[in-house]
Amino acid sequence: MSVSGKKILIAVSGGIAAYKIHFLIRDFVKKGADVQVIMTPDAEHFVTKLSLSTLSKKPVYSEFYNDNGTWNSHVEMALWADVMIVAPCTANTLSKMIHGMCDNLVIATYMSAKCPVFIAPAMDLDMYAHPSTKKGLELAESFGHIIIPAENGELASGLIGQGRMAEPATIFNTVENHFANSNLSKSLDGKTVLITAGPTYEALDPVRFIGNHSSGKMGFSLAEEASKRGAKVILISGPSVQTINDPNVELHKVTSAKEMLAKVFEFYDKIDIGIASAAVADYAPKEVAKEKIKKNDENLTIELVKNPDILKTMGEKKTHQFLVGFALETQNEEENAKGKLEKKNLDMIVLNSLRDEGAGFKNDTNKIKIFTKTEKKEFNLKSKDEVAKDILNFVESQLLK
């Protein structure tokens, strides 16, 4: 969904990055949005009301009263807006927002707002890294506001680091995506989805492990997509650099297969859908050395024992859950995937390809086939975000049967 017809309230505070707001206003207006600009008195040191009003096609306000005595109603503007964007948000304005220091039109309007609030901080790198700023942004996020993080680059001080306001295109896209996501059908509303992601690491000694190349990208993409569809998501991830910041996603970090198994069954009875996308190590060392294994001999023999089969256990204990497994095969792909579907009592299985360039571990793209006991569906190479949509669309189609 585009921003056309949406009412956008932009609040400009007194930072050098205010000059970028001209481009943001232009982008919104060109896409058919209705833009109202307000500003702090200090912002007038950096940009003029004339330039902002020319672009927005509306008067720009910085005071509660005009020279003729008429009131610029902060309440009306706050209730009018579909979203409010505070950009640039200086350290001073952020502090006032967090603590309710209502001494200007921008803060009064903010405190009356019922709509989603987007904050694009901008300040010098030491100010951005200061504990009070970090705490302020954390509190703003806890209020339900959407933070558009500052970017790295050259700052007005001449220093280079994080603190420059996100580019207008980034702010625009974040707001546009917000409207697109809010318009999605909440097809999984009321459902609880458990997803496993990433590899497991099985310790050899305090510094070494057996693992695999799984990045966890597929599982995290599935978690984000399920959340967009209204689900409560329990994401259980092995070691992965992937991050997620979504209030509907409950992230649990584990390391080994045994830890993942235990965590899965903390929640399994209460979930509606289970998606096991983790690449769990099949074997683990029988004995874990307490000290680092020294390189003494020409050869080293390590006895491995089979890890618990998490997916098989989920299938055995399945009562009402819709269970999805993943298969990564290098030979007899379809035959092995179908065998896994049957043996592990799954409702469907996703076969990952390693034969196609750009698919599989570490890549941002994947090519899959989906099997049930009666169906097969093949997909083209796509981004993992798009693959997540295909998988969940297929799950939903099965739930409707």
Side-chain angles (χ1 to χ4, degrees):
M1 182 178 182
S2 72
V3 298
S4 178
K6 296 298 183 183
K7 298 186 284 290
I8 313 294
L9 178 63
I10 299 178
V12 185
S13 64
I16 187 65
Y19 79 91
K20 295 182 180 180
I21 295 305
H22 298 87
F23 302 99
L24 182 62
I25 295 169
R26 181 195 62 186
D27 288 346
F28 277 119
V29 171
K30 283 175 69 175
K31 288 296 181 76
D34 193 3
V35 179
Q36 174 65 62
V37 181
I38 57 176
M39 58 199 301
T40 66
D42 283 341
E44 294 189 69
H45 296 303
F46 300 94
V47 289
T48 68
K49 289 181 180 178
L50 177 61
S51 62
L52 298 178
S53 65
T54 300
L55 290 167
S56 66
K57 301 177 173 50
K58 286 180 180 289
V60 174
Y61 306 112
S62 63
E63 303 289 349
F64 290 102
Y65 297 95
N66 298 314
D67 291 339
N68 62 8
T70 56
W71 178 39
N72 298 320
S73 174
H74 62 278
V75 176
E76 286 184 10
M77 286 187 286
L79 297 180
W80 166 85
D82 291 315
V83 297
M84 181 177 186
I85 305 168
V86 185
C89 183
T90 61
N92 184 50
T93 293
L94 176 64
S95 178
K96 289 180 178 181
M97 292 170 69
I98 295 305
H99 297 290
M101 295 177 63
C102 190
D103 64 351
N104 63 46
L105 179 65
V106 164
I107 303 301
T109 306
Y110 157 72
M111 293 188 70
S112 298
K114 300 289 191 288
C115 61
V117 177
F118 293 78
I119 298 174
M123 59 200 75
D124 209 63
L125 63 92
D126 292 327
M127 297 171 70
Y128 191 68
H130 195 277
S132 64
T133 303
K134 289 183 177 180
K135 186 66 175 176
L137 291 172
E138 288 174 5
L139 285 169
E141 199 164 37
S142 74
F143 294 171
H145 303 336
I146 298 98
I147 310 300
I148 307 173
E151 298 175 354
N152 276 287
E154 187 173 353
L155 305 170
S157 65
L159 298 174
I160 295 175
Q162 190 172 14
R164 64 186 293 169
M165 188 180 81
E167 291 302 312
T170 301
I171 299 172
F172 178 88
N173 289 336
T174 302
V175 174
E176 187 175 49
N177 288 338
H178 162 78
F179 286 122
N181 293 337
S182 64
N183 196 50
L184 282 175
S185 169
K186 297 298 183 182
S187 49
L188 294 177
D189 190 33
K191 302 289 186 185
T192 300
V193 181
L194 183 146
I195 299 168
T196 65
T200 64
Y201 288 173
E202 311 301 331
L204 288 167
D205 61 25
V207 297
R208 300 184 182 93
F209 61 86
I210 296 172
N212 57 60
H213 296 298
S214 174
S215 65
K217 290 176 182 177
M218 190 70 256
F220 277 71
S221 291
L222 283 163
E224 289 183 356
E225 182 62 25
S227 174
K228 288 177 183 177
R229 298 180 185 215
K232 174 187 175 183
V233 182
I234 299 163
L235 176 60
I236 302 171
S237 174
S240 171
V241 299
Q242 304 302 310
T243 58
I244 195 163
N245 183 18
D246 188 317
N248 292 326
V249 179
E250 186 180 310
L251 175 61
H252 298 270
K253 289 280 195 175
V254 297
T255 301
S256 68
K258 288 182 179 178
E259 290 175 358
M260 185 172 282
L261 176 72
K263 188 60 67 175
V264 164
F265 283 96
E266 281 186 29
F267 305 100
Y268 193 61
D269 288 344
K270 298 177 182 178
I271 69 168
D272 301 291
I273 301 166
I275 305 177
S277 69
V280 180
D282 293 325
Y283 293 90
K286 184 176 182 180
E287 300 289 341
V288 179
K290 293 182 180 179
E291 304 293 340
K292 181 182 175 184
I293 299 170
K294 295 296 183 182
K295 187 171 64 177
N296 294 324
D297 301 320
E298 194 67 29
N299 298 309
L300 175 66
T301 301
I302 298 171
E303 186 177 357
L304 301 177
V305 294
K306 201 169 185 179
N307 263 330
D309 190 325
I310 299 173
L311 185 55
K312 184 180 179 183
T313 308
M314 292 169 78
E316 290 170 348
K317 295 182 179 293
K318 184 174 69 169
T319 54
H320 61 282
Q321 301 89 346
F322 186 90
L323 188 55
V324 182
F326 275 66
L328 181 65
E329 306 291 343
T330 58
Q331 55 185 348
N332 300 324
E333 291 182 342
E334 294 193 14
E335 181 182 340
N336 288 331
K338 290 175 183 177
K340 193 174 184 180
L341 175 74
E342 188 71 34
K343 291 174 187 175
K344 301 196 178 185
N345 193 27
L346 309 180
D347 295 288
M348 62 179 262
I349 192 162
V350 180
L351 174 61
N352 290 301
S353 173
L354 280 182
R355 295 184 177 181
D356 295 276
E357 186 177 351
F361 288 155
K362 293 187 176 180
N363 293 303
D364 292 324
T365 51
N366 208 359
K367 186 175 182 181
I368 64 166
K369 297 176 184 177
I370 295 178
F371 297 91
T372 68
K373 291 177 182 178
T374 59
E375 296 177 67
K376 169 188 171 182
K377 190 167 184 179
E378 189 167 355
F379 299 84
N380 294 324
L381 184 72
K382 298 182 181 182
S383 73
K384 288 185 175 177
D385 288 344
E386 291 299 315
V387 172
K389 292 177 183 177
D390 288 337
I391 292 170
L392 289 172
N393 284 343
F394 197 93
V395 168
E396 290 177 12
S397 72
Q398 298 300 303
L399 293 175
L400 291 172
K401 289 185 175 180

